[in-house]
Amino acid sequence: MEEIEVRTIFAENLKKLRKQKGLSQLKLSNEMQMAFTFINDIENCKKWVSPETIARFATFFEVPVSTFFTAEETQGGSHFNTDFFVKTISDEVRKTILKVGERFKEN
């Protein structure tokens, strides 16, 4: 599995979810308090995202993290087998969410 494939799938799914909510990149960036250029760069596969940012997107769109890494089926099958990758990234995001939650409990 190539990193560019993962970025492309993530970008396509982010764009699809954004459009389903009727949001422009600018509106999404404002609602999520992120730079417009950051959203644009993600959707154009120029930037990658941290586990924290993936978790923020999943929370905002009210979807499981795996939604961002699920390739749409094509005539020749999916872009790649995402099962292992989804489990790995989901575990990392879950750990990150727990760490962030612990930081808030300390205060």
Side-chain angles (χ1 to χ4, degrees), residues 66-79:
S66 60
T67 301
F68 293 99
F69 301 99
T70 303
E72 291 206 11
E73 294 296 316
T74 62
Q75 287 181 342
S78 66
H79 292 284

Side-chain angles (χ1 to χ4, degrees), residues 2 10 14 17 19 23 31 37 39 45-46 55 60 62 81 91 100 102:
E2 300 277 331
F10 187 91
L14 176 60
L17 288 167
K19 288 183 176 188
L23 299 172
E31 290 199 26
T37 54
I39 300 292
C45 301
K46 293 178 182 175
F60 179 82
E62 300 176 330
N81 184 340
D91 288 345
V100 170
E102 289 298 316

